[in-house]
Amino acid sequence: MRRSRTLRTVLQFWRSSLEAESEYQLNLVLECLAVSGNLAGSLFVLSLLFSGQSSLGGWDWNEALIVLGLYTLLDGFTSCLLQPNLSKIVNHVQQGTLDFVLLKPVDSQLWLSLRCFSPWGIPALLAGVVLVVLGLQRSGTVVHGDGLVLGAVLLVSGAAILYSLWFSLAALSIWFVKVWNATEVLRYTLVAGRYPVSAYPPALRLVFVFVLPVAFMTTVPSQALLGQGSWPWAAGSVLMACGSLLASRWFWRFALRHYTSASS
Amino acid sequence: MLEYRAEIALWALSGVLPLIMLGVWQNSGAASQAGWSPDQLRHYFVAAFLVRQFSVVWLIHVFEEDVVSGKLSPFLLQPLQPLWRYFAAHVAEQATRIPFVALMLLALAWMNPALLWLPSLQNLTLGIAAIWGAFLLRFLLQTLSSTLCFWSERAAALDRLLVIPYLFLSGLVAPLDTFPPAIKTVALATPFPAMVDFPARLLAGLPVDLSAGFLSLMFWCGVLSPLCWLSWRRGLRRYGAMGA
């Protein structure tokens, strides 16, 4: 009963934000241009990295395409949900409108995370899927059912880790007020996920697994899709996802205890 | 600006892209194909990191909000061209960035001393001048896209398109020397390499065409300034002072 009410609320949120966003139809053209430009640029840089050699950190060109595709997919997810919602938390704190959110009969983390749905991330989502399919097809991998399921599960846990990172950083604004760029930092450093994690020097690899877990966002799901998934990595990814979701929940409660409202 | 130390520290962190790219390039071996030694590669990307730190422009994000919310109106009443206000904020922010960047350089030195080097005095002064030129050029380019705020509520979306060639053609993520010759020629015909590639090469002590670099900076600034002026004047006439 309660769950269905939440679901209905979220669907209503998304309907209203879609209506609001459809005011700006030119955005669709701009967004498609941005996605294709970014994709062309990424492919270009990847081809430069591959010039004169056949592998990048043990990944061949087609396999690297899958990683890039998953990166694009998660980038689309960011534009659809994370960016439009979580970047507003800072404004709410700065202007004191967070009070109104807290008074609503909906869970505040849910409201802040799912209030808006921006359709402008959809081109990137599509482009990501196309790239992944293309990479799989060209590398001649036959994707088995279990590889697909594992890949999908790992991608979802990658997205969950991404969300928790974004949300926790945005929640920092309760203390620092003006950190709307904290999420920008994340966007810029996550660019590292464009390349398989083994392409980096060992020290950076450790960072990308334990500190800024981009490895779990693109590399690990790609390996699963290619049928090279390993249990330790899969378990680690799912554990990390659950852990970071719980941590973000806990962190938000903790932050709210320190919230003093803007004008008081 | 010092009030928002946390913010500026985070901004400084967001410029780590060239260092991440250094990691990939170091391991790929594609740079040695272009005739670059590992040392040159390291210095180039660390220099690109510095250039990026001190040529960041965020005008459009502030300006868009000021236009949409009508905050620009009181600025227009003052006997000072409002753009100077934003320009001053950028310069002040650069100054507050220095300690954070110094800290990050120290951290780099601690991780791997070979990442740092001492540029000659001449290269250093010329490099700083080039960084300033790059900053000015980027500021002018963003002024031009910012004036579009007078016409559209979402000019920042348009500016995102301009970021793409800046990212890929400026040398921020890949040295221009590794480009195929045809693409390199095209890139050099745009203003973007002057924004990162040229100052970074100067700082890193890589072979560089001094006069061509500075000429390109001056040429593009010269082209953009009158355009900005014109677009500002025409845009102001359309400004409806929403929310005021």
Side-chain angles (χ1 to χ4, degrees), chain A residues 29 38 54 65 72 81 112 115 129 139 145 165 168 172 182 198 201 211 219 228 247 258:
Chain A
V29 182
N38 262 321
S54 57
L65 277 189
T72 316
L81 279 177
L112 287 169
R115 174 62 187 87
V129 172
S139 64
L165 269 176
S168 309
L172 278 181
S198 54
V211 186
T219 311
Q228 301 159 355
H258 289 259

Side-chain angles (χ1 to χ4, degrees), chain A:
Chain A
M1 185 61 203
R2 209 186 131 75
R3 182 148 310 150
S4 79
R5 200 191 66 164
T6 313
L7 193 70
R8 252 187 313 155
T9 321
V10 169
L11 285 179
Q12 192 61 44
F13 283 163
W14 289 3
R15 195 172 311 139
S16 75
S17 53
L18 273 179
E19 270 167 23
E21 287 297 324
S22 61
E23 275 292 301
Y24 304 96
Q25 283 153 8
L26 190 66
N27 256 26
L28 182 66
V29 182
L30 288 180
E31 211 50 51
C32 286
L33 277 176
V35 167
S36 38
N38 262 321
L39 215 55
S42 308
L43 285 172
F44 172 60
V45 173
L46 198 62
S47 76
L48 291 181
L49 284 164
F50 267 98
S51 65
Q53 52 214 322
S54 57
S55 85
L56 184 71
W59 293 63
D60 70 24
W61 169 258
N62 294 318
E63 293 168 346
L65 277 189
I66 301 174
V67 177
L68 187 61
L70 288 181
Y71 173 83
T72 316
L73 195 72
L74 285 178
D75 202 39
F77 166 66
T78 308
S79 316
C80 273
L81 279 177
L82 303 185
Q83 169 88 25
N85 287 300
L86 302 180
S87 55
K88 282 193 194 119
I89 296 182
V90 185
N91 283 340
H92 285 310
V93 174
Q94 217 170 2
Q95 295 164 4
T97 44
L98 186 63
D99 298 10
F100 308 140
V101 179
L102 295 175
L103 288 175
K104 286 188 207 311
V106 194
D107 183 80
S108 56
Q109 184 173 5
L110 180 91
W111 195 93
L112 287 169
S113 312
L114 294 175
R115 174 62 187 87
C116 298
F117 176 83
S118 158
W120 314 124
I122 293 176
L125 282 176
L126 292 178
V129 172
V130 168
L131 213 55
V132 170
V133 171
L134 207 71
L136 281 173
Q137 203 184 27
R138 292 192 11 162
S139 64
T141 337
V142 189
V143 185
H144 296 291
D146 51 345
L148 199 63
V149 171
L150 189 63
V153 168
L154 292 181
L155 186 62
V156 170
S157 41
I161 297 172
L162 182 64
Y163 159 78
S164 316
L165 269 176
W166 264 79
F167 185 80
S168 309
L169 268 180
L172 278 181
S173 58
I174 300 258
W175 288 279
F176 296 109
V177 183
K178 208 179 157 193
V179 285
W180 60 273
N181 54 359
T183 47
E184 291 289 303
V185 177
L186 206 57
R187 240 192 159 160
Y188 280 106
T189 40
L190 290 179
V191 172
R194 273 187 189 157
Y195 310 102
V197 92
S198 54
Y200 295 95
L204 268 181
R205 255 178 255 173
L206 285 180
V207 172
F208 292 149
V209 172
F210 294 107
V211 186
L212 199 88
V214 281
F216 294 115
M217 294 173 200
T218 54
T219 311
V220 174
S222 307
Q223 274 173 333
L225 283 177
L226 285 165
Q228 301 159 355
S230 64
W231 283 113
W233 279 104
S237 170
V238 173
L239 265 179
M240 188 123 185
C242 296
S244 54
L245 278 180
L246 285 175
S248 79
R249 185 81 191 150
W250 173 83
F251 188 63
W252 180 238
R253 294 236 169 113
F254 177 70
L256 279 186
R257 260 184 271 144
H258 289 259
Y259 178 60
T260 50
S261 185
S263 51
S264 55

Side-chain angles (χ1 to χ4, degrees), chain A residues 21 24 27 30-31 34 37-38 41-42 44-45 48-49 52-53 176 178 180-181 185 188-189 191 195 199-201, chain B residues 4 6-7 10-11 14 16-17 20-21 23-25 27-30 33 153-154 160-161 164 168 174 178-179 183:
Chain A
E21 287 297 324
Y24 304 96
N27 256 26
L30 288 180
E31 211 50 51
N38 262 321
S42 308
F44 172 60
V45 173
L48 291 181
L49 284 164
Q53 52 214 322
F176 296 109
K178 208 179 157 193
W180 60 273
N181 54 359
V185 177
Y188 280 106
T189 40
V191 172
Y195 310 102
Y200 295 95
Chain B
Y4 298 114
E7 188 192 16
L10 283 169
W11 272 134
S14 76
V16 294
L17 179 63
I20 293 176
M21 292 313 294
V24 188
W25 280 99
N27 259 25
S28 111
Q33 284 248 319
E153 267 176 62
R154 297 217 166 168
R160 276 189 53 210
L161 288 184
I164 296 169
F168 294 110
T178 60
F179 286 18
I183 299 183

Side-chain angles (χ1 to χ4, degrees), chain B residues 39 42-43 46 105-118:
Chain B
D39 251 354
R42 274 198 289 267
H43 295 172
V46 174
L105 283 183
L106 270 179
L108 283 182
W110 176 71
M111 278 189 287
N112 181 4
L115 282 172
L116 298 192
W117 73 103
L118 203 65

